[in-house]
Amino acid sequence: MNMAPVLHVSGDQPLYQQLYAYIKGEIVSGHIPAGFRLPSIRQMAVLAGVGKITVEAAYQQLVAEGYLISRERSGYFAADIEKWVEAEATGTAPIMPMPKELKKNKGEHLSYRYNFHGSVVDTEHFPYALWRSCIQEALQRYPEDFAFYGDDQGEWELRLELARYLRRARTLICEPEQIIIGTGLQQALSFLSLMTRDTHPVAAVEDPGYADARVVFQHHGFTLAPIPLEEDGLSIEALEKSGARIVYVTPAHQYPHGMVMPASKRLRLLQWAKQTGGLIIENDYDGEFRYNAKPTPSLQGMDQAGTVVYIGNFSKAFSPALRMDYMVLPPMLLRRYLEEFQAYPSPVPRLQQRAMQLFMEKGYWEKHVRKMRTLYQRKHQLLLQAIHTHMPPSVVVLGHSAGLHILLEVDTTLTEAELIGAAAEREVRVYPTSRNWLSSQAPPRPRIIVGFGGMKEADIEEGIRRLALAWFS
């Protein structure tokens, strides 16, 4: 094979880079076949009219990138390179276009000025200075953390603080040994699915209920049993007939309808679990925020038989960006976890756990929760007042005693999608409930989720006014 690369001494690229590019192009195009032995460094220097150092630099770069193979005492050989690799990289071959329906604008849902998202929290009152100080103190106090993975269940000191807080504020019956620190509800449910799928193949879910929870159960192969809601929560009678032995519930603030399960129904639910050997997964996603009375005690705190898994988080009261939650396992599941699931260490960074531990140790956490409860109660009142002022009586407010969202049931001929679209034309973003239904028993009137946690107080009334104009003008 005749190799006589043409290099330009006065070119913009160094000579070794020109030689490198020439040989690379010949290999990728197939002009230099796989296994072909290239001229020695001395021979190539003569062919290219350059010094040996230039050739050696080009060869070494080609070896480093995998285009050449260096064999001791044998020389340099072309590697087996697929032709399309360079073609795609240089754009000379067609690249599969991204389907239009898969494209998504970054932060599209945040582009609305009046964004009534149910999971966005207030950032103006986030304790930035205190949180920063806890991170800095954690770096100074625990430098050895960088050398180890940490406790599989999460840092012991954080679990100790959590257990104290949960016993005091949420009436839980728990010890630090029962707590597992995780990165969100989906991860917690996925982990629980691994531990329960073989013994509890049918999972009951509220209908309507949190769609993402349902998806996790489906991905793990559960048969789902939709349980309809009554005025005070899921139907215990329907649960008893479902054949399920595991149920996912949101008793402190049902999602999305917002009702609070009373003590009498909670006792019936616990009795069902005890009699059937069932398991209750209690998602207390925003239990700190109830506005007409004190926060509702946890279902787990009423459990005497060890049938409840409690899941809480730092998202609503602090920040969803942390992606940090926790599970409290009953003794039965804790035993199985310790025997079979120690290969799943906590995915939450140790520094973040340490910072939260210090934030709780110093009393900042409960002070912050009280502050946010007051703030959200004020926003909640502003929202209800704005609805009363601007919406017609045919709009019914549901689930308005707790949490960071309400439902608006709208008496209209418009569909859910049409209501949301009309709102968007007025720069208002509200959210559907339809995806939360598993069965086809959707209500005759559309119900729209209206969150208020992340809304500025000054924007709440204007957002509702625009919403009323979009729907009724």
Side-chain angles (χ1 to χ4, degrees):
M1 178 180 292
N2 182 24
M3 294 188 65
V6 178
L7 308 181
H8 303 283
V9 177
S10 60
D12 294 334
Q13 280 188 318
L15 291 175
Y16 87 91
Q17 288 187 1
Q18 295 181 45
L19 180 60
Y20 152 85
Y22 167 77
I23 298 173
K24 175 181 173 181
E26 292 295 287
I27 293 174
V28 170
S29 66
H31 294 153
I32 296 178
F36 176 79
R37 180 179 178 181
L38 272 72
S40 67
I41 292 176
R42 179 177 296 179
Q43 290 170 332
M44 180 59 77
V46 174
L47 291 170
V50 297
K52 291 191 293 183
I53 294 177
T54 298
V55 177
E56 185 174 8
Y59 276 16
Q60 289 301 322
Q61 185 65 31
L62 290 163
V63 170
E65 295 184 12
Y67 293 101
L68 292 184
I69 298 172
S70 175
R71 296 175 184 164
E72 191 174 356
R73 297 198 181 112
S74 296
Y76 294 89
F77 297 82
D80 187 3
I81 301 295
E82 295 285 349
K83 296 181 181 180
W84 57 264
V85 172
E86 178 68 8
E88 286 193 342
T90 60
T92 57
I95 298 176
M96 182 79 69
M98 172 70 77
K100 187 176 181 180
E101 66 273 14
L102 298 182
K103 291 185 178 181
K104 185 176 181 181
N105 295 330
K106 182 179 179 181
E108 179 181 3
H109 71 288
L110 299 177
S111 62
Y112 293 76
R113 176 175 178 180
Y114 305 98
N115 180 14
F116 289 96
H117 195 293
S119 297
V120 176
V121 300
D122 187 291
T123 56
E124 291 185 347
H125 296 82
F126 183 85
Y128 292 102
L130 293 177
W131 182 244
R132 188 184 304 114
S133 70
C134 288
I135 292 176
Q136 292 172 341
E137 183 174 341
L139 285 168
Q140 296 170 355
R141 189 189 295 190
Y142 302 104
E144 68 279 2
D145 281 2
F146 288 93
F148 303 99
Y149 288 106
D151 195 299
D152 288 344
Q153 291 180 231
E155 298 304 316
W156 170 262
E157 293 85 353
L158 173 58
R159 290 189 282 133
L160 185 64
E161 289 299 321
L162 262 175
R164 290 170 177 166
Y165 168 73
L166 292 172
R167 288 194 296 263
R168 184 169 57 250
R170 304 300 296 128
T171 69
L172 261 70
I173 304 169
C174 72
E175 299 297 334
E177 291 86 350
Q178 296 174 256
I179 297 176
I180 297 178
I181 306 296
T183 57
L185 176 67
Q186 290 83 348
Q187 186 251 351
L189 292 181
S190 184
F191 194 35
L192 283 173
S193 296
L194 292 174
M195 291 196 287
T196 60
R197 170 66 180 82
D198 55 343
T199 56
H200 299 70
V202 179
V205 292
E206 299 165 317
D207 192 34
Y210 187 46
D212 289 358
R214 183 178 74 227
V215 168
V216 174
F217 290 129
Q218 289 173 325
H219 285 170
H220 283 276
F222 284 89
T223 299
L224 294 185
I227 308 300
L229 299 179
E230 299 171 336
E231 290 186 2
D232 56 357
L234 89 167
S235 169
I236 304 298
E237 183 178 354
L239 175 62
E240 291 170 343
K241 295 177 180 178
S242 69
R245 293 178 57 225
I246 185 171
V247 61
Y248 168 86
V249 292
T250 50
H253 186 220
Q254 199 281 331
Y255 188 90
H257 277 192
M259 68 274 290
V260 177
M261 185 182 291
S264 58
K265 176 160 282 192
R266 295 178 185 225
L267 290 173
R268 289 181 61 196
L269 182 58
L270 291 169
Q271 188 66 23
W272 164 84
K274 183 177 180 180
Q275 291 176 348
T276 62
L279 188 70
I280 302 168
I281 301 175
E282 176 185 15
N283 181 11
D284 192 23
Y285 65 99
D286 61 3
E288 287 93 352
F289 304 117
R290 190 175 181 189
Y291 309 119
N292 298 331
K294 292 182 179 180
T296 311
S298 67
L299 183 65
Q300 195 268 7
M302 302 172 67
D303 180 25
Q304 300 296 319
T307 61
V308 177
V309 175
Y310 179 92
I311 300 177
N313 63 65
F314 296 98
S315 299
K316 294 293 191 293
F318 199 64
S319 170
L322 288 181
R323 301 305 301 146
M324 186 158 63
D325 79 334
Y326 45 89
M327 280 194 300
V328 179
L329 297 180
M332 171 186 63
L333 275 185
L334 178 62
R335 186 174 293 107
R336 183 168 189 190
Y337 166 79
L338 294 173
E339 291 174 352
E340 301 180 30
F341 291 89
Q342 291 288 290
Y344 295 85
S346 174
V348 181
R350 297 189 76 185
L351 176 60
Q352 185 168 301
Q353 292 189 55
R354 291 297 195 188
M356 182 55 72
Q357 165 205 324
L358 294 173
F359 196 79
M360 299 186 82
E361 282 179 0
K362 295 174 182 293
Y364 299 155
W365 170 256
E366 292 190 59
K367 182 179 179 181
H368 178 70
V369 169
R370 290 193 298 270
K371 172 184 173 182
M372 299 310 291
R373 186 182 296 125
T374 300
L375 173 66
Y376 289 142
Q377 183 169 14
R378 187 165 66 243
K379 290 187 177 185
H380 177 261
Q381 286 300 117
L382 288 172
L383 179 66
L384 295 181
Q385 183 177 343
I387 292 170
H388 178 74
T389 300
H390 297 287
M391 293 285 183
S394 58
V395 174
V396 179
V397 179
L398 303 175
H400 57 81
S401 63
L404 301 184
H405 78 272
I406 62 167
L407 288 192
L408 292 183
E409 183 178 78
V410 187
D411 186 4
T412 179
T413 58
L414 299 177
T415 65
E416 178 187 79
E418 289 170 338
L419 289 172
I420 292 173
E425 292 178 2
R426 299 275 183 169
E427 297 184 88
V428 179
R429 183 72 184 266
V430 289
Y431 295 83
T433 59
S434 55
R435 70 183 296 264
N436 297 298
W437 287 86
L438 180 57
S439 68
S440 58
Q441 300 177 1
R445 297 175 181 175
R447 292 175 175 177
I448 304 297
I449 297 174
V450 178
F452 56 88
M455 288 289 292
K456 295 181 179 179
E457 293 183 46
D459 288 341
I460 290 177
E461 182 172 7
E462 177 61 16
I464 294 300
R465 188 186 72 82
R466 290 183 178 222
L467 195 61
L469 289 173
W471 291 351
F472 301 108
S473 63

